[in-house]
mmCIF file of all heavy atoms in Angstrom:
data_model
loop_
_atom_site.group_PDB
_atom_site.id
_atom_site.type_symbol
_atom_site.label_atom_id
_atom_site.label_comp_id
_atom_site.label_asym_id
_atom_site.label_seq_id
_atom_site.Cartn_x
_atom_site.Cartn_y
_atom_site.Cartn_z
ATOM 1 N N PHE A 1054 14.435 -1.893 -32.726
ATOM 2 C CA PHE A 1054 15.299 -0.796 -33.183
ATOM 3 C C PHE A 1054 16.755 -1.156 -33.254
ATOM 4 O O PHE A 1054 17.442 -1.237 -34.123
ATOM 5 C CB PHE A 1054 15.202 0.565 -32.459
ATOM 6 C CG PHE A 1054 16.089 1.625 -32.876
ATOM 7 C CD1 PHE A 1054 15.952 2.183 -34.247
ATOM 8 C CD2 PHE A 1054 17.010 2.060 -32.148
ATOM 9 C CE1 PHE A 1054 16.927 3.152 -34.658
ATOM 10 C CE2 PHE A 1054 18.015 2.970 -32.515
ATOM 11 C CZ PHE A 1054 17.820 3.576 -33.785
ATOM 12 N N GLY A 1058 17.221 -2.236 -36.792
ATOM 13 C CA GLY A 1058 17.604 -0.918 -37.256
ATOM 14 C C GLY A 1058 19.102 -0.641 -37.357
ATOM 15 O O GLY A 1058 19.607 -0.139 -38.304
ATOM 16 N N VAL A 1061 21.023 -2.341 -40.212
ATOM 17 C CA VAL A 1061 20.727 -1.662 -41.508
ATOM 18 C C VAL A 1061 21.495 -0.321 -41.571
ATOM 19 O O VAL A 1061 22.068 -0.008 -42.587
ATOM 20 C CB VAL A 1061 19.170 -1.359 -41.683
ATOM 21 C CG1 VAL A 1061 18.903 -0.432 -42.780
ATOM 22 C CG2 VAL A 1061 18.528 -2.705 -41.739
ATOM 23 N N CYS A 1062 21.570 0.397 -40.500
ATOM 24 C CA CYS A 1062 22.285 1.629 -40.322
ATOM 25 C C CYS A 1062 23.775 1.327 -40.649
ATOM 26 O O CYS A 1062 24.495 2.132 -41.343
ATOM 27 C CB CYS A 1062 22.117 2.399 -39.093
ATOM 28 S SG CYS A 1062 20.456 2.818 -38.703
ATOM 29 N N GLY A 1157 27.286 10.742 -41.977
ATOM 30 C CA GLY A 1157 25.957 11.327 -42.361
ATOM 31 C C GLY A 1157 24.928 10.245 -42.767
ATOM 32 O O GLY A 1157 23.833 10.308 -42.437
ATOM 33 N N ALA A 1158 25.357 9.295 -43.595
ATOM 34 C CA ALA A 1158 24.528 8.268 -44.143
ATOM 35 C C ALA A 1158 24.048 7.396 -43.032
ATOM 36 O O ALA A 1158 22.934 7.067 -42.939
ATOM 37 C CB ALA A 1158 25.233 7.473 -45.279
ATOM 38 N N GLY A 1159 25.026 6.949 -42.124
ATOM 39 C CA GLY A 1159 24.564 6.213 -41.019
ATOM 40 C C GLY A 1159 23.646 6.805 -40.082
ATOM 41 O O GLY A 1159 22.647 6.223 -39.611
ATOM 42 N N LEU A 1160 23.921 8.151 -39.701
ATOM 43 C CA LEU A 1160 22.853 8.849 -38.882
ATOM 44 C C LEU A 1160 21.696 9.105 -39.606
ATOM 45 O O LEU A 1160 20.579 9.019 -38.903
ATOM 46 C CB LEU A 1160 23.617 10.218 -38.523
ATOM 47 C CG LEU A 1160 24.832 10.206 -37.616
ATOM 48 C CD1 LEU A 1160 25.340 11.589 -37.447
ATOM 49 C CD2 LEU A 1160 24.346 9.651 -36.312
ATOM 50 N N GLY A 1161 21.653 9.383 -40.875
ATOM 51 C CA GLY A 1161 20.383 9.407 -41.664
ATOM 52 C C GLY A 1161 19.654 8.235 -41.569
ATOM 53 O O GLY A 1161 18.328 8.155 -41.434
ATOM 54 N N ALA A 1162 20.340 7.087 -41.818
ATOM 55 C CA ALA A 1162 19.518 5.815 -41.631
ATOM 56 C C ALA A 1162 19.051 5.461 -40.279
ATOM 57 O O ALA A 1162 17.975 4.960 -40.151
ATOM 58 C CB ALA A 1162 20.550 4.634 -42.187
ATOM 59 N N ALA A 1163 19.904 5.792 -39.261
ATOM 60 C CA ALA A 1163 19.417 5.630 -37.946
ATOM 61 C C ALA A 1163 18.139 6.380 -37.562
ATOM 62 O O ALA A 1163 17.236 5.963 -36.976
ATOM 63 C CB ALA A 1163 20.479 6.052 -36.878
ATOM 64 N N THR A 1164 18.165 7.762 -38.138
ATOM 65 C CA THR A 1164 16.896 8.560 -37.885
ATOM 66 C C THR A 1164 15.677 7.966 -38.718
ATOM 67 O O THR A 1164 14.755 7.861 -38.149
ATOM 68 C CB THR A 1164 17.313 9.976 -38.427
ATOM 69 O OG1 THR A 1164 18.432 10.550 -37.752
ATOM 70 C CG2 THR A 1164 16.024 10.837 -38.203
ATOM 71 N N THR A 1165 15.911 7.478 -39.904
ATOM 72 C CA THR A 1165 14.833 7.002 -40.631
ATOM 73 C C THR A 1165 14.316 5.616 -39.977
ATOM 74 O O THR A 1165 13.266 5.445 -40.035
ATOM 75 C CB THR A 1165 15.448 6.609 -42.132
ATOM 76 O OG1 THR A 1165 15.944 7.823 -42.761
ATOM 77 C CG2 THR A 1165 14.314 6.047 -42.951
ATOM 78 N N ALA A 1166 15.215 4.830 -39.454
ATOM 79 C CA ALA A 1166 14.793 3.735 -38.833
ATOM 80 C C ALA A 1166 14.184 3.916 -37.323
ATOM 81 O O ALA A 1166 13.236 3.178 -36.873
ATOM 82 C CB ALA A 1166 15.928 2.720 -38.572
ATOM 83 N N GLY A 1167 14.676 5.085 -36.747
ATOM 84 C CA GLY A 1167 14.212 5.309 -35.252
ATOM 85 C C GLY A 1167 12.915 6.062 -35.319
ATOM 86 O O GLY A 1167 12.079 5.949 -34.324
ATOM 87 N N VAL A 1168 12.575 6.898 -36.276
ATOM 88 C CA VAL A 1168 11.319 7.724 -36.202
ATOM 89 C C VAL A 1168 10.101 6.812 -36.197
ATOM 90 O O VAL A 1168 9.260 7.090 -35.415
ATOM 91 C CB VAL A 1168 11.279 8.781 -37.388
ATOM 92 C CG1 VAL A 1168 9.903 9.314 -37.560
ATOM 93 C CG2 VAL A 1168 12.320 9.739 -37.125
ATOM 94 N N PRO A 1169 10.000 5.789 -37.036
ATOM 95 C CA PRO A 1169 8.733 5.011 -36.924
ATOM 96 C C PRO A 1169 8.571 4.261 -35.496
ATOM 97 O O PRO A 1169 7.536 4.144 -35.023
ATOM 98 C CB PRO A 1169 8.810 4.044 -38.030
ATOM 99 C CG PRO A 1169 9.803 4.623 -38.928
ATOM 100 C CD PRO A 1169 10.692 5.519 -38.159
ATOM 101 N N VAL A 1170 9.748 3.827 -34.962
ATOM 102 C CA VAL A 1170 9.752 3.210 -33.740
ATOM 103 C C VAL A 1170 9.290 4.233 -32.625
ATOM 104 O O VAL A 1170 8.440 3.770 -31.747
ATOM 105 C CB VAL A 1170 11.165 2.592 -33.435
ATOM 106 C CG1 VAL A 1170 11.251 2.029 -31.958
ATOM 107 C CG2 VAL A 1170 11.461 1.464 -34.479
ATOM 108 N N LEU A 1171 9.876 5.399 -32.690
ATOM 109 C CA LEU A 1171 9.421 6.376 -31.748
ATOM 110 C C LEU A 1171 8.053 6.845 -31.855
ATOM 111 O O LEU A 1171 7.252 6.937 -30.830
ATOM 112 C CB LEU A 1171 10.323 7.685 -31.986
ATOM 113 C CG LEU A 1171 9.990 8.798 -31.071
ATOM 114 C CD1 LEU A 1171 10.326 8.522 -29.586
ATOM 115 C CD2 LEU A 1171 10.839 10.059 -31.470
#
Side-chain angles (χ1 to χ4, degrees):
F1054 175 71
V1061 170
C1062 298
L1160 290 176
T1164 301
T1165 303
V1168 166
V1170 172
L1171 178 63

